[in-house]
Amino acid sequence: MPEARFRRIAADIRRRIEAGEWAAGEDLPSRRAMAAEYGVHPQTMRLAHRLLRQQGVLEGEERRAVYVAHPPAMRTLTDPDAEWPFASETTDTRPRPATVELAYRLGVPAGVSLHHEALECLDPGGRSAMLVSSWWRGRRGLHASYAAELGCVELSVEQAHALGLLVDAVAFRVVRTRFDHEGRPLETADLILPMDRWNIRLAARRQGG
């Protein structure tokens, strides 16, 4: 099948990169030249290149030369309440009904309408480094403290596409909940962090606001 063929080619190109045939930052041969090498149509090679770009193995724009991507910078998350120091993009602000889990986290009835914000946090090179989804009810005010719990989650199609990873890849999930001075939950968020770009070192709770 054509799909299986371009995936096999992408896997072989990745193997050749890992073996040192092309170094980080080095251009690959042209799509036409590689299509001839693999004995396939250039469209099949285009699909292989696109898959490798989505996986973060290659970089470069459509119809231009592609090159081996530099490994993503590794960062250590120590304060999940800190502001992201680089650029970010808001990708969704539609209100959402509270799921059973969100209702428990915020202490509200299930199904109640919540404010919602989804952010894509970008590293200095413009690559997605972290996804943050936040939910709250009423006004979004200052908080006095927060709690954070670390786990893992399989990425959805949308999350994988944004992060340039395979669907169902496993990422870190930090559940952060912010509280007022009386300990009532004000806002909760999911921080999704790719395992190839982050180390996690969390304190259980931090006071301040």
Side-chain angles (χ1 to χ4, degrees):
M1 295 175 62
E3 179 178 1
R5 179 173 292 182
F6 86 76
R7 291 185 183 278
R8 285 199 301 269
I9 291 171
D12 189 60
I13 293 172
R14 185 168 193 157
R15 176 192 61 77
R16 294 168 68 180
I17 290 170
E18 291 172 350
E21 187 168 342
W22 299 289
E26 183 178 350
D27 287 353
L28 265 64
S30 70
R31 185 191 305 164
R32 186 174 298 277
M34 295 200 74
E37 178 184 347
Y38 281 100
V40 297
H41 192 277
Q43 173 69 4
T44 303
M45 188 56 58
R46 185 186 73 82
L47 294 174
H49 282 180
R50 184 173 68 179
L51 177 60
L52 290 168
R53 286 201 305 272
Q54 291 174 346
Q55 295 173 352
V57 176
L58 298 179
E59 293 186 356
E61 298 179 13
E62 196 80 18
R63 299 188 180 88
R64 295 187 180 182
V66 294
Y67 58 92
V68 179
H70 291 273
M74 288 296 295
R75 293 184 171 83
T76 299
L77 183 73
T78 57
D79 183 1
D81 199 39
E83 294 294 327
W84 181 248
F86 309 114
S88 63
E89 296 179 359
T90 302
T91 58
D92 193 357
T93 57
R94 292 172 293 177
R96 300 291 176 86
T99 63
V100 172
E101 180 187 358
L102 291 174
Y104 174 77
R105 284 157 60 175
L106 287 171
V108 298
V112 70
S113 181
L114 299 176
H115 297 287
H116 169 251
E117 179 183 64
L119 291 178
E120 184 174 346
C121 300
L122 308 176
D123 67 18
R127 177 178 293 178
S128 182
M130 174 171 58
L131 305 177
V132 181
S133 293
S134 302
W135 300 268
W136 68 97
R137 190 181 185 191
R139 291 187 58 188
R140 197 178 193 180
L142 296 176
H143 59 288
S145 63
Y146 77 88
E149 298 178 2
L150 175 63
C152 297
V153 66
E154 289 187 353
L155 297 177
S156 67
V157 174
E158 294 79 9
Q159 290 170 335
H161 179 74
L163 293 167
L165 297 172
L166 294 175
V167 177
D168 295 335
V170 178
F172 292 120
R173 177 198 187 206
V174 177
V175 175
R176 181 193 68 205
T177 304
R178 291 170 169 169
F179 303 92
D180 65 14
H181 287 281
E182 298 179 0
R184 293 174 297 200
L186 297 174
E187 178 181 337
T188 192
D190 286 354
L191 285 62
I192 305 299
L193 304 100
M195 290 184 172
D196 64 343
R197 300 166 211 181
W198 287 93
N199 296 312
I200 310 291
R201 191 181 301 121
L202 296 181
R205 194 177 179 114
R206 172 178 174 268
Q207 298 295 324

